[in-house]
Amino acid sequence: MRKLTEKEIALLEEQGCKAENWMDVEVDDDDFRLEVVNHVSFYGTVSIGAMSGTVEVEEGFQRRCGLQNATLRNVSIGDDCLIENVHGYISGYDIGNHVYISNIGVMTTQGEPTFGQGQEVSVLNEGGDGNVVIYDKLTAQTASLMLEHKCVRDLALHELAARRRLERGTVGNNVRIVGLREMQNTLIGDACEIQGASRLAEVTILSRDDASTFIGPDVILDQCVVAEGSTVTDGAKAYHSYIGQSVHMGRGYSSESSVFFANSHLENGEACAAFCGPFTCTHHKSTLLIGGQFSFYNAGSGTNQSNHAYKMGPIHYGTLRRGSKTASGSHILWPAEIGSFTMVMGKLTCHPRLQKLPFSYVIADGAGKTHLVPGINLRTVGTWRDVGKWPKRDGRSRSGRRDIINFAFPNPYLIQDVIEGRRLLQTLLRVHTNEDELNYEGCTIRRSAAVNGIRYYDLAIRLFVYEMMNTNTDSDAAAATDRWLDLSGMLAPEKDIQRIVDDVETGEIASTDELLMVLRQVDANYKANAADYLQSLLQQQGDNMFVDNDHWLAEAEQAHQEWLDMVRSVSSNSATSMKTSSANS
């Protein structure tokens, strides 16, 4: 870099430029082009890179680099940028190479910026103490651990406090910013595109060449972190929120104090104090996710929850486990816990704890009665379709995936609930020998539904054997007695996760990078741990499983075929019913 010559200063002034102090303006020593700088006002220290090339303003459209119609204060500009028509000013930013900025209002860094990082957001317990730290390395797994373990929150906060505090915002390489109204205290990663956003304040936008992030028209982001490959567009508004990798948020969606992880799709509705794990999906207007924990979840239109039980205020929360759905107009009064792959219909007011009964239908009839049909959702084409579609819809770049997502179906976490559910139904049938209706957690279960539920759960266990029977690994059944956790997409034995938490508590794990590394090591052992669990399971069933165990292999293959036939039958009956209904109409 070098200072401007007197001749260059004179020519720039002829081209409508001015400076508070020309000695504070530096330019590239080799490729500064005087003729492409017009009507620019310089304040404070400004440095300008090479101006000899072109920049892509949209795909297939190249324009010559330059500066025109702009006010710059304490700004550094990289090579081959085009900055034009800045109606306000740019202040306190380091701008990378090949950047296009056009028709914007104000870009400024001021005060003591946090860029949206380090804040403790109150998730689940609306308005309560902060329990999830938002920062650029947050994952679904670390966020899950933060909910219950303060030591994990403290680890992230300590690490953030030790970082060098940035005093200026940054704009990465190959960035396009067009039509932005206002941006304050914001970090922007490489290859990001911002088109027509209304306001970005205290925001970090992570982006890479292979996972570019898009911020679209009329978007407002305040105290947020947006991860790589995500899209926030069409009037979406987010406050104190984390938006994970390859998340889509649009069509006026509104978020307050919520976190969204990989591949979630959010439109039209709103979220408040919500923990939305991977593949959380909500499309419809008047749909509210509040004070709940979700993953692999699909919300029907008009779905909402209430966390004001007993008029005590918003202190309650609930969980819809992996693969759950809510039908149109459903309403759940927290606290409640819904089992995996369960469908909820109607207004659920009895605060049930149904984690032991996965694959169920829970139906509130509007007359004060809630019906529970255990296991039936295993036979639906929707469940079959869902477990097949999620891996195909992972839109994250192959490199740099932070959230750990295990798509295995069935899996030990699910089967442990299936086993407990089968045992529960058997107990209910034995205790209520002469009753047609059984009561559990405020729900009514018909005797015939309980009998069928046991059959469905038996099928699920054999499907798990089918899933695992091609896994060739040594098994240690003695190590398979621990419970399993679904850590917002990651499946692991509880003892392994507790060991990690203990290491964080004692300082053995001293950084979030180390924490992510050991979590990935546990995830890498999933098949071996699942094989241990299977061996233990089969021993409990009165048999041992070896590679040549014809009995269990035959049972497993038969179960898989039975499941597929069941799904086809239900799908075929539904199609026939629809055709008949249409013909009658």
Side-chain angles (χ1 to χ4, degrees), residues 470-483:
N470 292 320
T471 301
N472 295 320
T473 182
D474 293 333
S475 176
D476 178 11
T481 58
D482 196 44
R483 289 192 59 79

Side-chain angles (χ1 to χ4, degrees), residues 10-263:
L11 288 171
L12 285 171
E13 289 178 338
E14 287 182 10
Q15 292 167 196
C17 297
K18 61 182 180 180
E20 186 177 43
N21 183 351
W22 283 112
M23 291 299 98
D24 289 335
V25 179
E26 293 185 331
V27 297
D28 185 83
D29 191 33
D30 296 323
D31 287 316
F32 175 65
R33 295 291 185 267
L34 194 69
E35 66 274 11
V36 297
V37 181
N38 297 277
H39 298 96
V40 180
S41 298
F42 300 98
Y43 294 85
T45 301
V46 177
S47 64
I48 305 169
M51 289 283 181
S52 60
T54 62
V55 66
E56 186 176 61
V57 299
E58 64 177 55
E59 189 172 355
F61 182 16
Q62 298 280 341
R63 286 182 57 193
R64 188 177 182 182
C65 299
L67 303 174
Q68 54 192 14
N69 302 320
T71 298
L72 307 176
R73 174 181 176 273
N74 295 333
V75 172
S76 69
I77 301 170
D79 295 337
D80 296 330
C81 295
L82 174 56
I83 299 176
E84 61 180 3
N85 303 325
V86 179
H87 305 298
Y89 54 87
I90 300 176
S91 174
Y93 274 88
D94 296 322
I95 298 171
N97 304 319
H98 308 288
V99 172
Y100 176 52
I101 299 176
S102 178
N103 289 303
I104 69 165
V106 173
M107 286 174 53
T108 181
T109 305
Q110 54 186 318
E112 297 183 358
T114 66
F115 307 107
Q117 300 192 48
Q119 57 181 309
E120 294 182 80
V121 175
S122 179
V123 178
L124 301 187
N125 185 4
E126 181 191 356
D129 294 334
N131 51 16
V132 173
V133 179
I134 291 180
Y135 67 112
D136 53 358
K137 295 181 181 180
L138 186 66
T139 71
Q141 286 67 52
T142 53
S144 293
L145 292 174
M146 286 178 184
L147 292 177
E148 297 186 18
H149 305 285
K150 184 176 181 297
C151 62
V152 180
R153 297 198 297 273
D154 291 343
L155 178 66
L157 289 170
H158 176 76
E159 186 172 292
L160 289 166
R163 286 186 185 180
R164 181 177 67 87
R165 181 177 290 276
L166 297 177
E167 297 179 353
R168 290 157 66 112
T170 60
V171 176
N173 301 321
N174 303 303
V175 171
R176 290 201 290 258
I177 304 175
V178 178
L180 169 71
R181 296 181 189 175
E182 178 185 358
M183 185 167 83
Q184 177 181 325
N185 298 356
T186 296
L187 304 178
I188 301 174
D190 294 345
C192 179
E193 182 171 356
I194 300 174
Q195 290 274 2
S198 292
R199 183 168 183 266
L200 310 178
E202 298 292 355
V203 175
T204 295
I205 302 174
L206 305 170
S207 185
R208 302 194 311 267
D209 289 337
D210 63 341
S212 60
T213 300
F214 177 77
I215 309 297
D218 302 321
V219 165
I220 296 176
L221 297 174
D222 193 332
Q223 298 278 349
C224 293
V225 174
V226 182
E228 302 92 334
S230 289
T231 296
V232 185
T233 189
D234 298 336
K237 299 173 177 61
Y239 307 88
H240 305 280
S241 297
Y242 176 85
I243 300 169
Q245 291 179 315
S246 293
V247 169
H248 175 92
M249 180 183 289
R251 297 189 181 181
Y253 198 82
S254 175
S255 168
E256 171 70 40
S257 300
S258 297
V259 291
F260 307 90
F261 294 100
N263 302 298

Side-chain angles (χ1 to χ4, degrees), residues 208-466:
R208 302 194 311 267
D209 289 337
D210 63 341
S212 60
T213 300
F214 177 77
I215 309 297
D218 302 321
V219 165
I220 296 176
L221 297 174
D222 193 332
Q223 298 278 349
C224 293
V225 174
V226 182
E228 302 92 334
S230 289
T231 296
V232 185
T233 189
D234 298 336
K237 299 173 177 61
Y239 307 88
H240 305 280
S241 297
Y242 176 85
I243 300 169
Q245 291 179 315
S246 293
V247 169
H248 175 92
M249 180 183 289
R251 297 189 181 181
Y253 198 82
S254 175
S255 168
E256 171 70 40
S257 300
S258 297
V259 291
F260 307 90
F261 294 100
N263 302 298
S264 291
H265 193 104
L266 316 146
E267 293 185 346
N268 295 308
E270 59 181 312
C272 181
F275 188 110
C276 298
F279 293 96
T280 296
C281 182
T282 170
H283 282 273
H284 308 287
K285 293 181 179 179
S286 69
T287 293
L288 168 66
L289 305 182
I290 184 169
Q293 188 168 6
F294 315 88
S295 66
F296 299 89
Y297 164 69
N298 196 327
S301 61
T303 287
N304 65 91
Q305 301 89 41
S306 171
N307 57 354
H308 292 73
Y310 314 117
K311 309 299 182 184
M312 294 289 290
I315 62 174
H316 303 282
Y317 59 89
T319 302
L320 274 73
R321 291 193 175 190
R322 172 186 291 228
S324 294
K325 297 182 180 181
T326 48
S328 297
S330 73
H331 181 196
I332 305 175
L333 267 64
W334 299 139
E337 185 159 5
I338 306 301
S340 302
F341 292 94
T342 290
M343 167 69 85
V344 177
M345 292 167 269
K347 184 172 182 178
L348 205 59
T349 62
C350 57
H351 308 292
R353 303 286 184 176
L354 304 177
Q355 62 270 25
K356 294 181 180 180
L357 294 170
F359 298 111
S360 295
Y361 280 1
V362 183
I363 309 165
D365 62 10
K369 201 169 187 178
T370 300
H371 303 273
L372 194 154
V373 187
I376 195 171
N377 207 27
L378 180 64
R379 61 178 290 180
T380 64
V381 68
T383 297
W384 172 83
R385 183 194 64 228
D386 287 346
V387 298
K389 78 182 181 185
W390 287 318
K392 299 175 184 177
R393 293 186 180 180
D394 193 338
R396 297 174 296 168
S397 169
R398 289 288 179 183
S399 63
R401 293 182 174 183
R402 280 192 295 279
D403 292 347
I404 300 171
I405 304 178
N406 190 328
F407 298 103
F409 177 88
N411 55 67
Y413 171 79
L414 188 56
I415 294 303
Q416 71 185 5
D417 290 341
V418 163
I419 292 171
E420 291 185 1
R422 182 180 63 172
R423 187 180 301 121
L424 170 65
L425 293 175
Q426 290 170 338
T427 300
L428 290 173
L429 288 171
R430 185 171 62 252
V431 172
H432 304 282
T433 307
N434 299 318
E435 299 177 27
D436 290 333
E437 292 186 345
L438 318 175
N439 293 313
Y440 177 70
E441 288 286 322
C443 301
T444 299
I445 307 173
R446 290 187 177 273
R447 175 171 290 274
S448 58
V451 172
N452 286 332
I454 294 171
R455 180 167 64 90
Y456 294 138
Y457 289 158
D458 284 337
L459 176 63
I461 294 170
R462 288 183 287 140
L463 282 176
F464 177 59
V465 178
Y466 179 86

